[in-house]
Amino acid sequence: MRICYISSEVAPLAKTGGLADVAGALPADLQRRGHDIRLFMPYYPQVTGPLELRPIAAATDVAVQCGPHELRFNLLQTKLPGTLLDIYLIDCPALYDRPALYTLDPDEHLRFLLLQRAALECCQRLQFAPQIIHCNDWHAALVPLLLKTVYGWDRLFAGTRTLLTIHNIGYQGIFPASTANTLNLGASLSLLDAADLANGQINWLKNGIVHADRVSTVSPTYAREICTPAGGYGLDAALRARSHPVAGILNGVDYSQWNPATDAFLDYHFSEQDLSGKRRVKAKVLRTSDDATLDLPLIGVVSRMTVQKGFDLLFDTLPGILAQRQLHFFALGSGDAPYENFFASLQQAFPDRVTFIRGYNERLGHMIEAGSDLFLMPSLYEPCGLNQLYSLKYGTVPIVRRTGGLADSVQMWDPATRRGTGVVFNDFDANGVRWAIETALDLFQDKSAWRTLIANGMAQDFSWEHQGGEYEQLYKELLAQEPA
Ligand code: ADP
């Protein structure tokens, strides 16, 4: 199959979250399956490293008219590090040369409109007729509409089907209605949602949900949750109105990056047979070689600090647990002030046992995954979640709330059958998280149960070799389907 894959971030080139991990792994897996896949992303200044960038002559100084704005870009090609996959970078410093991948700047809509227009323009100039255009999140959600309108004349796209994958429905790309003129829709302006326009806005993700041939998301449970008023963030009705149900495909893990036996970020390696390296990593994380300290359980957190991640539940629980029980807690992340302030004050209250590092640090993220005994994800909602999958592989027992992909990937430990891979709580409240953390700390004391629990988790396989096949199947179904 010929596939065009569009993502606003791709690991390891530029990453803020799980989308980059997926975009950096799934396309490479699809290529290994023999598909011709072209990956497009913006050329941010954050993309660094020893890359061999090749300008593509057929797409040099391309002008794209977006309403009153003439945007110009160059196309650069390189290999995605560690793969044989060609990645195309849209080079437009005027739009992408910013301190962060995402901004609140007034031209944010133009930044990602260009990504989509440029990907389609490049398909034309490369004479690449995609059978599938795989659009990820709101940054690429206008492609289905653009194909029906601005590019409707071009037979190159006559056989193209579109798949929109929602990695997080909390982010929708909502812009003022006044930006409609940048879309060049002409008489097709009526294809925009009239109620939204009347409210003065355009919702890109909703637009994609309406116009894509198929919609998918990143776990089966989240696929059901986003079709309900509680989980749909206002888009559940649009999702329910579609003729095909939302497909839910759990994300895979790139075990070439996330494997405790080979992880390039770790000084010590380990496996299920020999966990001694795990204790050495823990010693490094905690900066100690004291055995009594290393015998205490370490709970890790690596996360964006937003309301989605459920840390509110810790405000009234974690200080009490730390006061009563012997454990270490290590959090890495940045985001909204209430969470950063909470973890900072926790560190002040328990300086010997709590560490909070504010920021984004890939290496430390790997070390915390590897060195912790437990990994805490009390999410309010979690489309897929990757850290619980990494945790399982690293012999780090996940404590998760039963939501989205967490529900699909972590099974509650059952002492009777000795099955299960973690500790799972149901209700999003303080009692739920307190019960889960205390249950996990008790389990840690039961060395025989703990050994089995770790082994169960390390034996799980969430590799892309398996999950990629599900996308391949979905693409095949799409090709057999009449356009939406
Ligand atoms: P989300 O996409 O909602 O942020 P995911 O669990 O899907 O959550 O993916 C998060 C990814 O980003 C993981 O690879 C995680 O290790 C990484 N990550 C998040 N915050 C940090 C941080 N502060 N430092 C390093 N890595 C981080």
Side-chain angles (χ1 to χ4, degrees):
M1 281 180 266
R2 291 182 304 278
I3 304 156
C4 167
Y5 192 95
I6 307 175
S7 177
S8 59
E9 51 182 272
V10 180
L13 301 183
K15 168 171 166 179
T16 69
L19 168 60
D21 287 340
V22 175
L26 171 61
D29 176 77
L30 290 165
Q31 187 191 45
R32 280 191 290 273
R33 289 166 194 273
H35 303 298
D36 182 358
I37 179 158
R38 316 287 176 96
L39 179 52
F40 290 90
M41 74 173 280
Y43 185 39
Y44 306 104
Q46 288 80 1
V47 174
T48 54
L51 292 177
E52 253 182 57
L53 296 173
R54 197 165 68 86
I56 301 294
T60 301
D61 199 25
V62 182
V64 183
Q65 198 68 37
C66 296
H69 309 279
E70 190 190 70
L71 308 176
R72 290 185 169 269
F73 74 91
N74 292 307
L75 187 64
L76 304 173
Q77 183 197 37
T78 189
K79 291 278 181 227
L80 186 65
T83 74
L84 298 174
L85 187 71
D86 283 331
I87 176 162
Y88 294 99
L89 302 165
I90 315 297
D91 181 25
C92 176
L95 288 180
Y96 297 130
D97 199 352
R98 308 281 162 97
L101 270 49
Y102 308 115
T103 75
L104 296 174
D105 297 345
D107 60 355
E108 187 74 350
H109 61 292
L110 292 177
R111 301 177 73 229
F112 293 104
L113 181 58
L114 179 69
L115 168 65
Q116 304 174 77
R117 290 286 308 269
L120 296 174
E121 298 283 329
C122 292
C123 285
Q124 291 176 318
R125 282 158 199 265
L126 300 170
Q127 278 301 296
F128 179 71
Q131 291 164 290
I132 302 285
I133 300 187
H134 192 155
C135 312
N136 291 283
D137 278 348
W138 68 262
H139 321 95
L142 292 181
V143 165
L145 176 68
L146 293 172
L147 283 179
K148 288 177 188 171
T149 54
V150 179
Y151 296 88
W153 60 271
D154 192 346
R155 304 304 299 157
L156 188 79
F157 300 114
T160 302
R161 299 286 182 277
T162 51
L163 171 64
L164 171 67
T165 296
I166 299 173
H167 295 258
N168 191 330
I169 208 160
Y171 300 86
Q172 302 181 353
I174 299 175
F175 297 103
S178 59
T179 61
N181 67 343
T182 61
L183 303 180
N184 300 7
L185 295 177
S188 305
L189 208 61
S190 58
L191 290 174
L192 295 177
D193 189 282
D196 281 351
L197 282 180
N199 280 332
Q201 61 186 38
I202 303 173
N203 183 320
W204 286 23
L205 192 64
K206 185 179 192 178
N207 195 279
I209 290 171
V210 171
H211 293 289
D213 293 311
R214 285 291 282 265
V215 175
S216 77
T217 187
V218 290
S219 70
T221 296
Y222 195 59
R224 291 191 296 276
E225 288 172 347
I226 58 177
C227 291
T228 67
Y233 279 72
L235 299 185
D236 48 297
L239 287 167
R240 288 195 304 272
R242 292 189 48 91
S243 50
H244 290 90
V246 178
I249 302 176
L250 199 70
N251 285 338
V253 174
D254 183 354
Y255 288 126
S256 73
Q257 301 296 313
W258 291 95
N259 180 345
T262 53
D263 190 325
F265 290 109
L266 300 183
D267 294 335
Y268 308 102
H269 294 105
F270 55 92
S271 64
E272 205 245 301
Q273 288 72 36
D274 179 3
L275 287 167
S276 56
K278 185 171 174 69
R279 193 174 167 97
R280 283 198 207 106
V281 180
K282 182 177 181 178
K284 223 168 158 158
V285 171
L286 292 177
R287 295 164 176 268
T288 181
S289 54
D290 175 46
D291 272 324
T293 305
L294 292 173
D295 284 343
L296 296 180
L298 168 61
I299 301 182
V301 164
V302 179
S303 184
R304 291 184 299 118
M305 307 237 157
T306 67
V307 67
Q308 176 204 335
K309 300 297 179 180
F311 298 125
D312 301 70
L313 294 185
L314 304 181
F315 293 178
D316 291 334
T317 51
L318 201 49
I321 293 171
L322 278 158
Q324 281 162 18
R325 305 190 61 141
Q326 286 297 309
L327 71 141
H328 285 268
F329 184 85
F330 199 124
L332 165 67
S334 60
D336 298 342
Y339 310 111
E340 291 190 357
N341 294 342
F342 168 70
F343 287 119
S345 65
L346 204 63
Q347 175 171 253
Q348 266 180 351
F350 302 94
D352 302 334
R353 292 191 290 132
V354 173
T355 309
F356 170 50
I357 306 277
R358 183 184 284 117
Y360 187 95
N361 184 329
E362 194 75 25
R363 180 186 187 81
L364 191 54
H366 283 245
M367 286 177 64
I368 294 171
E369 276 292 357
S372 299
D373 300 294
L374 294 145
F375 197 93
L376 181 58
M377 299 177 76
S379 302
L380 175 61
Y381 74 93
E382 194 61 73
C384 175
L386 289 169
N387 286 104
Q388 84 281 11
L389 304 178
Y390 304 150
S391 296
L392 292 169
K393 192 72 184 171
Y394 283 69
T396 303
V397 174
I399 305 172
V400 303
R401 192 170 91 81
R402 196 184 304 281
T403 182
L406 300 175
D408 293 330
S409 56
V410 182
Q411 284 82 44
M412 180 67 205
W413 166 255
D414 178 351
T417 60
R418 299 179 75 78
R419 294 231 178 97
T421 52
V423 176
V424 186
F425 67 102
N426 291 331
D427 296 332
F428 190 77
D429 58 28
N431 283 338
V433 80
R434 187 184 298 110
W435 171 84
I437 294 174
E438 300 218 327
T439 301
L441 293 174
D442 291 344
L443 262 172
F444 181 79
Q445 304 305 332
D446 179 348
K447 289 301 161 206
S448 148
W450 192 252
R451 195 72 195 76
T452 309
L453 185 52
I454 286 180
N456 290 353
M458 293 182 93
Q460 302 283 308
D461 180 5
F462 291 99
S463 56
W464 276 111
E465 283 86 77
H466 182 258
Q467 312 304 105
E470 295 204 31
Y471 277 100
E472 195 174 39
Q473 186 55 37
L474 185 58
Y475 292 163
K476 282 185 190 152
E477 280 175 32
L478 250 170
L479 288 183
Q481 173 187 322
E482 287 300 310

